[in-house]
Amino acid sequence: MNILIVLIPVSVLLGAAGLAACLWTLRAGQYEDLEGDAARILLDEEPAFFSDEG
Amino acid sequence: MTIAACPGCVVAAPSADAVARSLTESEAALYLALPQIRCAACIAGVERVLAKLPSIQAARVNLGAKRVRIVLLPGHDASAALQALNSAGFEAHELDAAALRPTSDDTGRRLLARAAVAGFAMMNVMAVSVAVWSGAGDITREMFHWVSAAIALPALAFSAVPFFASAAVALRAGRMNMDVPIALAILLAATTSLYETFAATGAHTWFDAALSLTFFLLVGRYLEHRARATARSAAAELTALELPRATRLTAAGRETVDVAALMPEDRIALAAGARIPVDGIAEAAAMVDRSALTGEAEPIAIASGDPVCAGEVILGAPLTLRVARRAEDSTLRRLAALVEVAETGKHRYSGIADRAARLYAPVVHGLAALAFVVWWGLTGDLHHAVAVATATLIITCPCALALAIPAVTAAMTGRLFRGGVLLKSPTALERLAEVDMVMFDKTGTLTEGLAQLPDLDPAPASVALGLAQASDHPASRALAIALAAHSPAALSDLHEVPGEGVCGLWNGAPVRMGRGEDGPALYLPNRCIPLPLYERLRTGAVAVVEALQGQGLEVAMVSGDTQARADALAARLGIAQVYAGVRPEDKAALVHSMAERGKRVLMVGDGLNDTAALVAAHASLAPATALDAARVASDGVMLRGDLCAVEEILRLARRARSRIRQNLALAAVYNAVAIPVAVLGFATPLMAAVVMSSSSIFVVLNAVRR
């Protein structure tokens, strides 16, 4: 029974962490071009606009 | 394996977008449309080309929207990027950033955030609830209720806002919509559950049901929003394609300015084939194509000093124009504004969703109220009566019903979008399904605007072109445009004989182009070749007329052109009903008279002269080549040049209608079973959770199946 006092907050916190990650991806605009992101996985080179920044 | 080939590294790429985003508000961010990109190689190709240009700071391709967003260094414009992309083989067009800006998808992002919160809360509360359902004891049960409340209440306060807001708006306006029962159920469930938690009566709480209801409905709403937003942003892109720039001639030379900045008395240069952006006065004789405004297929000769209207197309030669009115006062804009006013009338059409809500909400609320009164009266137990009423509202809550229609519209709108058709109005599908008569505009819709000659051998063609170029006669001009692919023959002694045509010498022999038996003809030394001027039929025109008539729909043609030309074309297409010589305002009147005869007309048209009819019709479609005003006025835009899309749209619309009906029937059956259970007081939260999710899933699956 007492273990619930620990486990429930832990499970809620883990869920909240997932939620926070989801909200962050949303804000970063990662769902704006799902088709393009799927295709980008196939690219075999560095993204063009990162080549000079290393 | 190179480092960059690992997916983890590619995930870092969105920060390129973040770089671009941080500069969003600076004026230097631009969008280019890339209509032909379709794969990973295109993304890499475009970005590689752009990365080589010194004027570009960042670029990010959006494959879904088929466009690239570029951030320019100060003092540069997009011309270098356009040129580089075009020469690398990627078709690129600049888009008007001002026209696109409002389409940044904040609504969608907010809906998704709310759905994420509701989903998170739902899963946690359900995990706790499972323990309660499987028989957790007193203290544990009480604690679990408190945990549920702590998670559910803030989550509901954030996630369910769209339903509360929409319900409040509807109630304030004295209307009923689907959100009223939803909001009421969520509110009631939350309040009674909170009471149970406080009073610790040992009865059920409904936090999980309220949350899963919110979650499912938010997902449905997001899907619907997404389908429509794609259609809208593509439509906005079409509008943005007509570049709002003009070349102004000043004492210092030429400069490129926004059309909005043009003032009366400015002089602007227009290239041959350009659409005139503002009303003005021609400074030289010219040929213009007025078909967009008047439906006349033949080019018209205007003299120096004649007025021209925005929307007309300059043919043949470049022209200098003196601006007469500012862009926002142009004839075109004023007509567009009229159309906009007329359009609001159409929004009064109430879709199946509204009608269902009007029927459904009173029934459910009535039942819940009845259950409450009867239980209270019979048992005298107020607490139990409230619980039964809540259960009734939750179980019957229109999860399936509220999803039934959006899921179908989202699925069908998405399918049409992939097929190159953008639907703009939420009720367009329903209205399209009811159509029983299709009325086509002739010029620009059934036919492609330009005159097109039958195939000619190269030698006669080059002679014909040489002769045509020597004359300003409308027929000559049309011929010259149609023959532009050839090179003119070397002719000497060219002169024009009024009424006879153009004469000249070709390799020493006399040749002439002039009036033939029907239409112009080319007279070579030993033969005579008739040069009938055809308007080329748009691809699929014959097939679509046949298919529509095969489905038992009436097909009619309406045109501002002469009776003879209209009849000739109608005969080729097999259309019996022809209305020729119809003026713009009469087109709308024609549509109205059809409506009075009980016809539900689908108007397909592209010109300014069609806009009033497009608005007046029960449903309307415009090809992508149509003028802005026509695209705005119509319910849908066909991106494909192929007219067969019309038949497909109607077929999918009817399928959507039958799916909606199936879904409503499904929801009705489910309610017929669930309501008695709830009213009799047998419903438990577990039952509600299972039944609600399964009905929603059935409805969505039915919507997305082929």
Side-chain angles (χ1 to χ4, degrees):
Chain A
M1 172 64 207
N2 284 342
I3 193 71
L4 287 179
I5 311 263
V6 179
L7 283 184
I8 287 179
V10 165
S11 88
V12 170
L13 275 181
L14 281 176
L19 178 68
C22 175
L23 291 181
W24 173 75
T25 58
L26 198 60
R27 255 164 194 259
Q30 293 189 19
Y31 303 101
E32 263 159 40
D33 183 21
L34 296 175
E35 212 179 311
D37 292 334
R40 273 171 205 272
I41 292 180
L42 302 173
L43 297 183
D44 210 16
E45 55 191 288
E46 287 179 44
F49 280 90
F50 282 88
S51 41
D52 26 3
E53 287 155 66
Chain B
M1 183 176 175
T2 62
I3 296 221
C6 104
C9 301
V10 185
V11 174
S15 54
D17 192 42
V19 172
R21 189 186 306 278
S22 65
L23 292 154
T24 311
E25 304 327 319
S26 75
E27 291 302 308
L30 275 176
Y31 291 98
L32 307 182
L34 304 165
Q36 286 173 351
I37 59 165
R38 44 179 54 91
C39 61
C42 303
I43 299 181
V46 168
E47 290 187 353
R48 206 180 314 122
V49 166
L50 293 175
K52 284 193 193 122
L53 295 175
S55 61
I56 292 183
Q57 198 172 343
R60 172 117 180 138
V61 173
N62 185 327
L63 186 63
K66 291 198 193 303
R67 62 168 85 135
V68 59
R69 175 201 164 80
I70 56 178
V71 179
L72 296 162
L73 291 175
H76 290 275
D77 67 9
S79 53
L82 286 173
Q83 208 177 353
L85 285 174
N86 283 327
S87 59
F90 298 105
E91 187 186 339
H93 307 281
E94 189 178 345
L95 293 169
D96 180 7
L100 284 176
R101 195 152 292 166
T103 65
S104 82
D105 192 16
D106 280 344
T107 326
R109 217 177 297 162
R110 236 171 282 145
L111 274 176
L112 211 51
R114 291 187 203 283
V117 170
F120 152 80
M122 175 185 80
M123 285 189 277
N124 281 286
V125 172
M126 282 239 180
V128 172
S129 301
V130 168
V132 177
W133 294 336
S134 51
D138 300 329
I139 310 255
T140 321
R141 180 192 175 104
E142 228 169 274
M143 184 181 77
F144 280 178
H145 280 174
W146 278 108
V147 172
S148 299
I151 300 172
L153 292 177
L156 279 177
F158 174 69
S159 298
V161 168
F163 305 110
F164 292 140
S166 160
V169 169
L171 285 180
R172 212 170 299 147
R175 283 182 296 114
M176 200 45 135
N177 65 11
M178 215 49 124
D179 291 329
V180 175
I182 297 172
L184 193 71
I186 294 175
L187 214 58
L188 202 58
T191 335
T192 53
S193 305
L194 192 63
Y195 171 77
E196 303 295 355
T197 308
F198 264 111
T201 52
H204 297 302
T205 61
W206 296 87
F207 290 121
D208 52 330
L211 280 168
S212 52
L213 181 68
T214 313
F215 174 72
F216 275 118
L217 293 180
L218 281 172
V219 169
R221 201 150 296 195
Y222 174 72
L223 287 178
E224 194 194 11
H225 167 83
R226 214 178 121 98
R228 238 184 272 298
T230 333
R232 242 198 314 267
S233 78
E237 193 163 296
L238 276 175
T239 314
L241 264 180
E242 292 209 341
L243 251 206
R245 305 269 165 80
T247 308
R248 179 158 64 187
L249 301 173
T250 60
R254 289 162 167 254
E255 58 174 1
T256 306
V257 295
D258 285 353
V259 166
L262 289 175
M263 301 299 281
E265 297 307 311
D266 279 353
R267 296 171 68 234
I268 56 173
L270 292 167
R275 203 177 279 284
I276 301 175
V278 290
D279 292 359
I281 311 286
E283 291 205 336
M287 297 298 301
V288 295
D289 173 3
R290 292 208 160 133
S291 57
L293 280 91
T294 61
E296 287 167 277
E298 284 208 21
I300 291 165
I302 54 162
S304 169
D306 278 356
V308 288
C309 286
E312 298 174 358
V313 175
I314 300 286
L315 298 176
L319 177 75
T320 306
L321 190 76
R322 204 170 73 244
V323 177
R325 267 193 288 258
R326 297 176 51 115
E328 66 248 38
D329 306 327
S330 75
T331 320
L332 193 65
R333 289 286 181 87
R334 271 183 291 140
L335 280 165
L338 279 180
V339 167
E340 221 168 297
V341 172
E343 236 205 337
T344 49
K346 200 183 248 178
H347 293 155
R348 272 183 240 128
Y349 181 91
S350 81
I352 298 180
D354 285 347
R355 275 177 278 154
R358 239 174 288 154
L359 192 73
Y360 175 88
V363 170
V364 168
H365 291 171
L367 271 175
L370 194 71
F372 171 75
V373 170
V374 170
W375 274 97
W376 194 18
L378 285 184
T379 63
D381 184 352
L382 178 66
H383 176 240
H384 186 62
V386 171
V388 169
T390 310
T392 311
L393 268 181
I394 290 261
I395 286 242
T396 58
C397 201
C399 208
L401 199 58
L403 273 175
I405 296 157
V408 174
T409 16
M412 288 298 172
T413 313
R415 204 171 293 171
L416 281 171
F417 178 70
R418 283 190 292 280
V421 180
L422 314 173
L423 287 188
K424 297 190 301 175
S425 150
T427 57
L429 268 177
E430 290 170 35
R431 282 184 280 118
L432 281 164
E434 293 169 354
V435 159
D436 54 10
M437 176 176 193
V438 184
M439 200 179 266
F440 286 103
D441 166 53
K442 182 173 81 75
T443 315
T445 306
L446 284 174
T447 66
E448 296 191 74
L450 274 185
Q452 195 91 26
L453 285 174
D455 287 339
L456 275 179
D457 291 334
S462 62
V463 174
L465 180 59
L467 289 167
Q469 282 179 343
S471 160
D472 264 342
H473 191 277
S476 302
R477 280 298 176 189
L479 283 169
I481 293 163
L483 292 167
H486 299 272
S487 55
L491 302 171
S492 58
D493 196 20
L494 281 166
H495 58 281
E496 191 166 353
V497 182
E500 285 290 299
V502 201
C503 309
L505 290 176
W506 176 49
N507 296 339
V511 288
R512 182 170 73 87
M513 187 166 70
R515 188 179 303 278
E517 275 164 27
D518 48 1
L522 174 68
Y523 297 89
L524 293 176
N526 48 5
R527 57 192 175 134
C528 162
I529 305 170
L531 297 175
L533 281 170
Y534 285 122
E535 287 181 282
R536 189 173 61 178
L537 283 178
R538 197 179 274 272
T539 331
V542 179
V544 78
V545 170
E546 200 178 328
L548 291 173
Q549 284 170 339
Q551 292 174 9
L553 298 173
E554 269 185 64
V555 179
M557 182 167 96
V558 57
S559 172
D561 215 340
T562 62
Q563 187 79 47
R565 282 162 154 285
D567 282 343
L569 194 83
R572 281 169 69 192
L573 289 167
I575 298 177
Q577 289 188 57
V578 181
Y579 304 89
V582 183
R583 288 179 303 158
E585 54 275 31
D586 296 340
K587 280 194 181 181
L590 187 65
V591 170
H592 278 303
S593 72
M594 292 297 168
E596 271 160 31
R597 274 176 39 201
K599 294 279 168 206
R600 294 174 187 273
V601 180
L602 165 66
M603 176 76 200
V604 188
D606 75 316
L608 197 55
N609 55 336
D610 299 314
T611 39
L614 288 170
V615 174
H618 193 61
S620 50
L621 293 169
T625 49
L627 279 191
D628 268 6
R631 289 199 302 251
V632 168
S634 55
D635 295 317
V637 178
M638 301 180 283
L639 297 183
R640 281 194 305 187
D642 186 346
L643 269 183
C644 284
V646 174
E647 193 257 326
E648 202 180 316
I649 294 166
L650 291 182
R651 201 160 35 80
L652 279 181
R654 282 193 290 263
R655 192 187 297 173
R657 181 174 56 174
S658 75
R659 288 284 162 81
I660 288 178
R661 287 187 179 156
Q662 287 168 12
N663 274 354
L664 289 178
L666 212 66
V669 167
Y670 149 78
N671 276 327
V673 176
I675 290 177
V677 175
V679 169
L680 295 178
F682 296 124
T684 62
L686 174 63
M687 200 189 286
V690 171
V691 172
M692 211 154 55
S693 345
S694 60
S695 72
S696 304
I697 289 167
F698 271 129
V699 162
V700 170
L701 284 182
N702 187 41
V704 298
R705 87 188 148 91
R706 288 259 125 211

